[in-house]
Amino acid sequence: MNLAAGAKAAWPAGLALGLSLLGGLAAEALGLPAGWLVGGSAVVTVAALLGVPLAMPAPLRDAGFILVGLSMGSSVARDTLALIGQWPITMAALAVSLALIVGATGWVLTTRLGFDKRTALLASTPGHSSFIQGLALSGLGDARQIAVVQSIRILTLVIAVPLFVAVSAPSALVPVADPAPMDWLTLAWLAPVCALAGWIAIRLKVPAGFVIGAMAASTAARLGGLSEGAAPWFVVIPGFLVIAALIGSRFAGVTGDLLRRSLAGGLVATVLAVAISGSAAWVASLFVDFSFSEIWIAIAPGGLESMAGMGLALGYDPAFVVTHHAARLFMLALAMPMLMVAMRPPPEPRGR
């Protein structure tokens, strides 16, 4: 009986990963950029909306995050700090675009699509999904509508951004990779170290702790000369498959009515996020030595795990990309509670 129950519980996860693999293979065969993410997330999303039972259990999700973090750290360039003096310019572009995205999206959702103010604010906030959902579930908005709008934005960004980069700047998609993969002995000790670092980061309540902790450990090993070579394909690709399956499986259980109520908001949030972050990235690229596409991946308002994975798939500097997305989460963590307090209705006057 226990085996049967275990098999029944594992079926939705296995199905999600299988569909992610099929979508990734198709996208890679078509030569799409970041194909494992683009194809996998698209196929899993369609299946979820069609009612296929899909899920991504926490242990499997976290294992995928650790693989992505390890892969990113092993790809960090050893001269990655050479351009750190230019990071304040791109960080300023991030901060300005973040404020504009939240303000513009919240205004459109409220005045044009009829969202209540708190739901609009939380739905327009790009990233830090667990934090945002925590606020929503405490009664500060329609939690399900917020989740669907956020999921639509993340899915569309994951699919649209690499395709746009491929059309607008195809030369930017040529990755600069290590000529040789990491050896088995290094991988054997580095993988558990990354898992431990991710677990510690989670215990310290670091956002996206498994990704950031694993990447920190892998980066330290690389910059310290303890590891050589990039993570092998059998580490990188499973991490992509898990992230793609996670993005798509978020649409499981979404009813037609909820999707209709949220679709316009999700598309508005995506269009404004793409336009504003793309414009900010272009302006910043005029003043720094990073390419427009690399800056855009670093400040585009998707989930940290998905955008970090995309940066890795496109061959961009993981340290630059992840640092900016972590900074976005920090900015949101500081700003959102104050905004929500400011939006509380004034207390009713007490009768005399």
Side-chain angles (χ1 to χ4, degrees):
M1 184 65 69
N2 288 336
L3 288 177
K8 184 177 180 181
W11 171 250
L15 190 55
L17 286 176
L19 291 170
S20 180
L21 175 61
L22 289 177
L25 287 171
E28 287 289 312
L30 292 172
L32 298 180
W36 295 109
L37 289 173
V38 171
S41 57
V43 170
V44 176
T45 297
V46 171
L49 291 175
L50 291 175
V52 177
L54 302 173
M56 188 52 50
L60 186 57
R61 175 201 65 196
D62 297 340
F65 288 168
I66 291 168
L67 294 179
V68 169
L70 187 158
S71 302
M72 289 191 298
S74 70
S75 301
V76 169
R78 289 198 164 89
D79 60 351
T80 190
L81 299 181
L83 297 176
I84 198 170
Q86 298 181 8
W87 287 19
I89 295 174
T90 53
M91 286 289 182
L94 167 66
V96 171
S97 66
L98 183 60
L100 291 175
I101 288 170
V102 173
T105 306
W107 181 82
V108 173
L109 294 181
T110 304
T111 61
R112 295 293 183 265
L113 297 179
F115 282 50
D116 68 82
K117 289 184 178 180
R118 294 182 183 180
T119 298
L121 176 62
L122 293 179
S124 66
T125 302
H128 217 335
S129 57
S130 59
F131 176 65
I132 297 302
Q133 278 300 302
L135 290 175
L137 290 171
S138 68
L140 299 179
D142 185 334
R144 296 200 69 198
Q145 191 171 25
I146 291 166
V148 174
V149 170
Q150 296 271 17
S151 296
I152 291 171
R153 175 179 50 78
I154 292 172
L155 171 69
T156 311
L157 283 172
V158 166
I159 294 175
V161 170
L163 296 179
F164 182 86
V165 171
V167 173
S168 63
S171 61
L173 297 177
V174 180
V176 180
D178 255 312
M182 184 182 298
D183 64 77
W184 283 90
L185 182 60
T186 300
L187 184 61
W189 67 260
L190 184 58
V193 168
C194 287
L196 176 61
W199 179 81
I200 292 173
I202 288 293
R203 298 288 291 179
L204 295 175
K205 301 191 182 304
V206 175
F210 278 112
V211 173
I212 291 178
M215 180 183 168
S218 183
T219 301
R222 178 169 174 79
L223 298 183
L226 299 176
S227 69
E228 296 290 341
W233 67 269
F234 55 84
V235 171
V236 178
I237 293 177
F240 288 160
L241 295 179
V242 168
I243 289 180
L246 177 64
I247 292 171
S249 63
R250 286 174 174 160
F251 289 90
V254 174
T255 63
D257 177 64
L258 178 60
L259 183 62
R260 283 190 294 272
R261 290 192 294 114
S262 308
L263 182 59
L267 293 178
V268 164
T270 303
V271 169
L272 289 174
V274 167
I276 294 171
S277 63
S279 299
W282 178 77
V283 171
S285 70
L286 301 177
F287 300 95
V288 297
D289 294 325
F290 296 99
S291 67
F292 155 75
S293 53
E294 187 166 11
I295 299 171
W296 195 19
I297 294 297
I299 70 174
L304 185 147
E305 298 90 349
S306 56
M307 299 309 293
M310 184 183 298
L312 176 65
L314 297 177
Y316 298 146
D317 181 7
F320 178 75
V321 173
V322 171
T323 299
H324 282 68
H325 282 287
R328 174 167 54 87
L329 299 186
F330 179 73
M331 294 174 189
L332 290 174
L334 290 179
M336 288 307 298
M338 293 184 287
L339 288 174
M340 296 306 293
V341 169
M343 294 181 67
R344 289 184 184 277
E348 296 183 0
R350 293 181 180 179
R352 294 185 178 179

